[in-house]
Amino acid sequence: MTPTRRRGQRLDDAILDATWQILHEAGYARLTFEAVAAVAGTSRPVLSRRWPTRAELALAAMERAAPPVAAVPDTGGLRPDLIDLLREAVNGFGAVRGEVLAGLLAETARDPDAAAAVRAWIARSTTGPAMAAILARAAGRGEIPTADLPARVLRLPFDLARNEVVLGGLPLADDVIASIVDDVVLPLVGAAGRERPGSASGSQDS
């Protein structure tokens, strides 16, 4: 295809559309600057000036197709808020995103630039800000003793869900999401009066 003269956002959109098309049709392993340039009708130097590595290009296309979690669930309870937040985060992966992420993580072992790109993407796409808002409301209701928690704790639900997607693929079952919340997150944040669906409420002395 003969390169087409475009600039700015139009050119970026064409490149990212082409990248996403290749990821859908061929997967991350077959994503190359040459292939994207051919589909987008541009040249390899144009791509590499904008995205120096294949990892950065793939992540830019993935973010454009699925922006980071923005909505903050507000069901009135900590547990359902956390479950809704994780569902939204997992739905944002999609099947192609899971395959891309697995390929990117494999590439980080041998490419420091890819590792840096993935770390930056994780920082941008983490559920941390939404977690902070959910925990602040829960602390105000008295469900947890404090919302003043380390950033690593705020990232934890997203990190665990992402690892499940990479290792097991999609879809991520509801019971896996519930287990992340019930077995890890709620005990970690010190939630009071935790109760799983179907469990007996409270306890009695014998």
Side-chain angles (χ1 to χ4, degrees), residues 52-72:
T53 68
R54 179 174 73 152
E56 290 172 288
L57 177 60
L59 288 168
M62 190 162 66
E63 282 187 303
R64 181 168 176 264
V69 173
V72 180

Side-chain angles (χ1 to χ4, degrees), residues 46-57:
V46 169
L47 270 69
S48 58
R49 282 197 297 269
R50 286 165 166 75
W51 298 280
T53 68
R54 179 174 73 152
E56 290 172 288
L57 177 60

